[in-house]
Amino acid sequence: MSVPKVAARASAARASAARPSREDLAAARNRTIPDVLPGAGEPLRVLFCGINPSLYSAATGWHFARPGNRFWPALHLSGFTPRRLAPAEQDLLADYGLGITNLVARATAQASELGPAELRAGGERLAALIAGRRPRVLAVAGVTAYRTAFARPRAAIGPQPGTLGGARLWILPNPSGLNAAWTMPRLTEEFRTLRESSERE
């Protein structure tokens, strides 16, 4: 392992120990965080798409960072990554041909604060991003947001018909710990099905 990566992981571990204060969270409302993407021209196998950043994620700058969010453990347990990455290690995803974006860029306390027009605009932004970065698969983590953003009210978890800018479309369950209907084993299995499918083509 290279020295820069060792240093980056040590820095990430230290950063993970610091949790944002209540004031930090309040100040993070409507803040945006950058997408996590491989370098231009590098392969992008799966682009994961959240609904929008939580206040916790916006305060830290890390996607799916809120304690209790199961994105990172599901990513590892399903075989996308060889070990469980901390949110602060998100930049290592490029090594595995993975990326993260959001339907809506601004942070809110709850996704329910987003209106239909904002979600539809997010779908249009995604189309432009995909045209430029050409991921093999776009995996949206949240079926309700997907239905609104892409005007597909009957969409269900799993692979979707058609493509978006050449990218296959897939819906994953929302990995939030509040989504109690999806246990960790069920969530992991959906991630694993996506991984196996993305590796066959």
Side-chain angles (χ1 to χ4, degrees):
M1 186 184 302
S2 68
V3 172
K5 284 193 175 181
V6 170
R9 288 178 179 175
S11 175
R14 288 193 298 273
S16 296
R19 292 194 172 194
S21 66
R22 185 175 300 176
E23 292 76 17
D24 293 331
L25 295 177
R29 182 174 292 277
N30 295 322
R31 190 179 296 170
T32 63
I33 57 177
D35 292 339
V36 174
L37 297 168
E42 295 180 5
L44 179 52
R45 181 160 49 102
V46 180
L47 177 60
F48 293 95
C49 179
I51 300 171
N52 74 311
S54 67
L55 298 183
Y56 198 103
S57 283
T60 61
W62 309 324
H63 293 269
F64 300 106
R66 187 174 182 173
N69 193 293
R70 298 166 295 172
F71 174 81
W72 298 101
L75 205 64
H76 167 54
L77 293 171
S78 62
F80 273 109
T81 59
R83 66 175 179 85
R84 177 174 170 174
L85 300 179
E89 297 177 295
Q90 61 186 16
D91 289 342
L92 297 180
L93 288 179
D95 294 345
Y96 310 111
L98 307 175
I100 303 178
T101 188
N102 286 289
L103 265 172
V104 176
R106 73 180 184 95
T108 60
Q110 297 180 355
S112 60
E113 297 175 41
L114 305 175
E118 202 167 8
L119 289 169
R120 287 193 295 269
E124 294 172 2
R125 186 196 72 84
L126 270 181
L129 176 62
I130 287 169
R133 302 310 297 261
R134 300 193 175 278
R136 187 179 302 172
V137 181
L138 171 69
V140 179
V143 65
T144 302
Y146 178 93
R147 289 169 178 165
T148 301
F150 295 98
R152 296 181 179 176
R154 297 185 180 180
I157 300 295
Q160 304 302 302
T163 62
L164 182 65
R168 294 168 51 211
L169 296 168
W170 202 285
I171 303 177
L172 291 169
N174 189 330
S176 167
L178 299 176
N179 188 8
W182 284 87
T183 63
M184 192 68 221
R186 290 185 68 206
L187 183 66
T188 299
E189 188 55 35
E190 290 297 329
F191 272 67
R192 180 177 293 111
T193 301
L194 167 61
R195 178 185 61 78
E196 291 172 348
S197 177
S198 72
E199 291 175 348
R200 283 196 294 268
E201 298 182 8

